[in-house]
Amino acid sequence: MTTVAEVLVQTLMLSGVERIYGLPGDSLNGVTDSIRKHKELKWIHVRHEEAAAFAAGAEAHLTQRLAVCAGSCGPGNLHFINGLFDCHRSRVPVLAIASQIPTPELGTNYFQETHPEQLFKDCSHYCGLVSEPEQLPRILAIAMRTAIAQRGVALIVLPGDVAMRSCSAKPVALGFVSNDSGVVPPPRDLAAAAALLNAAKRVTILAGAGCAGSHAELLQIAEQLQAPIVHAFRGKEFVEYDNPYDVGMTGLLGFSSGYRAMMHCDALLALGTDFPYPQFYPEHAKKVQIDVRGEQIGRRTVVDVGLIGTVKETLGALRPLLAPAKDGAHLKESIAHYQHTRKDLDHLAVGKPGTSPLRPEYVARVLDQCAAADAVFTVDVGTPSIWAARYLQFNGRRSLLGSWSHGSMAGALPQAIGAQAAFPQRQVIAMAGDGGLAMLMGELLTAVQNRLPVKIVVFNNSALAFVEVEMVSAGILPFGTDLQNPDFSKVAEACGLFGVRVERPEELKPALERALAYDGPALVDVLVHRQELSMPPSITAGQVGGFGLYAAKCVLSGRGDEIIDLAKVNLFDRLLGR
Ligand SMILES: Cc1cc2nc3c(=O)[nH]c(=O)nc-3n(C[C@H](O)[C@H](O)[C@H](O)COP(=O)(O)OP(=O)(O)OC[C@H]3O[C@@H](n4cnc5c(N)ncnc54)[C@H](O)[C@@H]3O)c2cc1C
Ligand SMILES: Cc1ncc(C[n+]2csc(CCOP(=O)(O)OP(=O)(O)O)c2C)c(N)n1
């Protein structure tokens, strides 16, 4: 007898799925039993279903292919939800298999009964219930195609009894494996964009993750427009490297140079970005936005011309319509400002032997220097995000993952697990917060059990430090943010990882080198300074507090210990320290 579960597994394999992240439970037993019989399909056993979703999301990000997670009914798949939100908002193709209680009990408030079709509505494009065996291939194929075509999460809800019944329907081949078709906007819209850009004197480009695979086209258009390029965080890995036009990031964690280049332009060209903070967009500049999803255009700021298209193809069609190179004064000034800002940041990344704790900037800098040329970095939300944004360098081969859109803590370790499972040969490094690590610490066991040689660097500041920054900036005294931590290197050792603790700068490099060279999972627990925020006289706590940190026109200073009110400050004087 061929069961529904067997057809499910065959369909996944037919579409190139190589592994499933999950945790079993009775309603899922039919599915796991079928997986057991197929050596080519790996079961990556996690300790918390949220981690399965984060791991699948990381795999999907890196491969741009469908990744899969599976959980048992009720609490089993409910645990997915935060991880699936992250996948969906990061727009990566993930299929979640949510098993369900027996069909005869549905609607009776039976043991463990939930309604995934409703629960996952906000974090999926599709959620289909398989109530009859013969439905499975069609519902499954719709879910998989939707996840791939719309880039996001799709679920199938599969009752345990249906999974174990006989199924005569055959596995369905999807007919495609990814959605990377090039889209070119119509000539009318291209002409409008070209007219706007040709009339401008100072163009700035804001480039995001949609620029992946368009590095050459990006540089060409920057040259033609003599435009500085500001990158959004998720775009960092694709935009910043080998890029003489890059002037840094904008936003709260950004650089003054990124902010300045945006504010000083008279035309902004936004490419493949959903940079979310409206106050960092220039109010008076004209704007052209290119995005393959039309519904994204004009979402964060008023846009004059919207081009629905892929960056590569659209820039290819736009360039011939642009006038020859513009005057380069705006570009030159922006680059000079960036070089100054960069130098200031670099001065902070130092470690004086014998002092303790370490500067987190120094930890990030040394880690960047020690890491492999094709390393994957996964980064926790919290202050590790600041250090990653400022000190990690990319080259077109390294990758960067974080919960950038959903902003969830604890992503770094499970994302590292997914990255490592998909790319066993690459070095995978999680930059973890001490709060973030503790939140899904059971996943250390996942790394050991699945023989995934991830490297975890803990920025151990004994605090939820990023929240302290938020509290102080809102005029609130830090409360509830202390963390009483164990020696994480000892915890790691007890779990079966290689563990080492770093308390002084001179210990850092040797410890990182040992951990990175270790043939298995390893954790480096580094004692770092807690961020202490001071408010400059130009801004009162109430001003920021009234809006919330993300809504204010502020950047963190290079040191990350001061909030700078960009609305009030003469950027050149204040930020260049004159
Ligand atoms: C603690 C914390 C602090 C943060 N601070 C900052 C900050 O200071 N600065 C900052 O920049 N970010 C910051 N972020 C991240 C921020 O929230 C956003 O997630 C990020 O800025 C979005 O980057 P993006 O626009 O490159 O990517 P996305 O949000 O993923 O947007 C990409 C866009 O490109 C489109 N697209 C995809 N492929 C293509 C294609 N081929 N052609 C055309 N369009 C395409 C998509 O439809 C989408 O609209 C922070 C996040 C956290 C967690
Ligand atoms: C799941 C979740 N809970 C709470 C928050 C709010 N939050 C954002 S950053 C942060 C602190 C992170 O602490 P830690 O991982 O120790 O990093 P640190 O900022 O101390 O370096 C918190 C609590 C969140 N983003 N996600």
Side-chain angles (χ1 to χ4, degrees):
M1 175 180 93
T2 306
T3 62
V4 167
E6 179 60 24
V7 178
L8 167 83
V9 164
Q10 286 182 13
T11 306
L12 295 178
M13 291 195 311
L14 196 60
S15 304
V17 173
E18 293 175 17
R19 64 194 66 77
I20 301 180
Y21 305 88
L23 203 152
D26 62 352
S27 52
L28 193 64
N29 288 351
V31 175
T32 43
D33 189 48
S34 288
I35 296 169
R36 179 182 62 79
K37 293 175 191 150
H38 293 274
K39 293 273 167 300
E40 321 85 277
L41 186 63
K42 265 199 166 152
W43 175 252
I44 310 283
H45 178 76
V46 298
R47 301 301 175 112
H48 190 300
E49 292 85 350
E50 178 181 350
F54 268 119
E59 175 178 331
H61 172 97
L62 291 170
T63 61
Q64 290 298 311
R65 298 284 174 94
L66 185 76
V68 182
C69 56
S72 61
C73 67
N77 65 61
L78 198 53
H79 265 183
F80 277 154
I81 200 153
N82 191 50
L84 286 187
F85 258 97
D86 185 73
C87 298
H88 196 55
R89 303 186 70 184
S90 298
R91 304 186 184 93
V92 289
V94 167
L95 172 77
I97 300 166
S99 72
Q100 180 56 299
I101 61 160
T103 31
E105 304 297 343
L106 278 171
T108 68
N109 200 17
Y110 185 68
F111 174 64
Q112 297 191 323
E113 180 170 2
T114 59
H115 300 100
E117 303 92 311
Q118 291 165 25
L119 284 168
F120 294 99
K121 232 186 182 115
D122 286 350
C123 63
S124 65
H125 290 301
Y126 177 82
C127 184
L129 170 71
V130 182
S131 46
E132 276 298 319
E134 307 310 315
Q135 278 182 302
L136 183 275
R138 208 140 64 97
I139 298 278
L140 179 59
I142 291 171
M144 293 166 78
R145 289 195 186 105
T146 305
I148 296 167
Q150 293 195 37
R151 293 196 190 205
V153 171
L155 294 100
I156 63 158
V157 181
L158 181 59
D161 56 320
V162 177
M164 299 182 80
R165 281 166 61 189
S166 164
C167 179
S168 59
K170 297 278 168 271
V172 168
L174 299 185
F176 58 83
V177 289
S178 64
N179 170 11
D180 42 21
S181 323
V183 179
V184 185
R188 175 194 67 231
D189 297 349
L190 287 165
L196 189 156
L197 294 168
N198 285 336
K201 289 207 162 58
R202 299 179 308 279
V203 180
T204 292
I205 293 172
L206 175 64
C211 293
S214 312
H215 200 259
E217 290 77 7
L218 182 62
L219 265 53
Q220 282 163 359
I221 197 115
E223 171 62 24
Q224 193 158 350
L225 294 170
Q226 288 293 290
I229 301 176
V230 178
H231 62 262
F233 207 161
R234 188 174 281 124
K236 180 178 166 76
E237 63 169 313
F238 308 114
V239 172
E240 195 181 35
Y241 72 96
D242 292 345
N243 183 345
Y245 307 93
D246 189 80
V247 295
M249 200 170 94
T250 186
L252 179 67
L253 308 191
F255 308 160
S256 58
S257 50
Y259 175 79
R260 183 189 175 281
M262 295 267 286
M263 291 303 163
H264 277 221
C265 71
D266 62 356
L268 181 74
L269 175 59
L271 302 176
T273 176
D274 189 25
F275 175 73
Y277 318 112
Q279 74 275 22
F280 285 93
Y281 285 90
E283 258 174 59
H284 302 296
K286 297 275 184 202
K287 290 167 208 121
V288 176
Q289 184 174 0
I290 299 176
D291 201 296
V292 70
R293 296 178 182 80
E295 68 274 19
Q296 294 290 114
I297 291 172
R299 209 170 256 242
R300 311 295 174 196
T301 187
V302 175
V303 161
D304 299 278
V305 180
L307 299 178
I308 303 177
T310 41
V311 171
K312 192 183 181 80
E313 285 70 22
T314 305
L315 291 184
L318 185 60
R319 266 189 61 223
L321 308 179
L322 295 176
K326 286 187 186 297
D327 168 72
H330 173 55
L331 175 61
K332 261 198 209 124
E333 276 172 30
S334 303
I335 289 173
H337 191 105
Y338 175 57
Q339 283 165 346
H340 227 103
T341 317
R342 194 60 259 179
K343 222 186 291 163
D344 285 354
L345 289 174
D346 292 343
H347 282 150
L348 297 167
V350 288
K352 195 166 163 228
T355 53
S356 187
L358 287 79
R359 299 187 76 102
E361 298 93 332
Y362 178 66
V363 179
R365 165 54 52 88
V366 176
L367 179 61
D368 177 64
Q369 289 164 352
C370 293
D374 65 345
V376 178
F377 294 92
T378 64
V379 182
D380 263 344
V381 164
T383 64
S385 303
I386 308 176
W387 318 130
R390 294 176 176 192
Y391 295 101
L392 293 186
Q393 298 183 72
F394 289 81
N395 52 13
R397 294 169 62 206
R398 285 182 170 182
S399 306
L400 177 66
L401 281 92
S403 180
W404 306 136
S405 306
H406 188 47
S408 172
M409 281 171 74
L413 174 56
Q415 286 178 328
I417 284 168
Q420 192 77 80
F423 291 94
Q425 303 309 325
R426 285 178 78 174
Q427 186 181 72
V428 179
I429 303 171
M431 293 171 67
D434 44 2
L437 177 69
M439 201 173 255
L440 283 176
M441 200 152 61
E443 300 313 313
L444 291 176
L445 302 168
T446 299
V448 174
Q449 183 165 338
N450 292 283
R451 299 181 201 285
L452 297 169
V454 295
K455 315 300 176 195
I456 302 137
V457 179
V458 189
F459 287 70
N460 184 347
N461 51 23
S462 296
L464 301 172
F466 200 82
V467 177
E468 290 187 339
V469 171
E470 292 170 345
M471 287 174 171
V472 173
S473 71
I476 298 168
L477 284 179
F479 174 75
T481 51
D482 285 338
L483 297 177
Q484 189 178 330
N485 284 329
D487 178 335
F488 287 110
S489 68
K490 295 260 181 339
V491 174
E493 278 174 0
C495 294
L497 293 89
F498 168 73
V500 55
R501 179 139 159 134
V502 171
E503 298 184 358
R504 276 176 287 279
E506 64 272 25
E507 298 163 3
L508 179 67
K509 194 160 181 263
L512 288 175
E513 284 172 349
R514 278 180 74 196
L516 294 176
Y518 183 72
D519 184 17
L523 182 147
V524 185
D525 183 21
V526 190
L527 296 192
V528 296
H529 274 290
R530 196 163 173 155
Q531 293 321 111
E532 280 173 16
L533 190 69
S534 64
M535 302 295 286
S538 65
I539 186 164
T540 64
Q543 276 173 303
V544 177
F547 302 111
L549 195 51
Y550 282 106
K553 212 177 226 182
C554 299
V555 292
L556 283 174
S557 66
R559 223 180 286 269
D561 61 353
E562 198 181 316
I563 292 274
I564 296 170
D565 176 7
L566 296 166
K568 294 250 164 65
V569 158
N570 176 326
L571 277 174
F572 266 116
D573 290 354
R574 183 71 186 81
L575 296 166
L576 298 185
R578 289 183 192 144

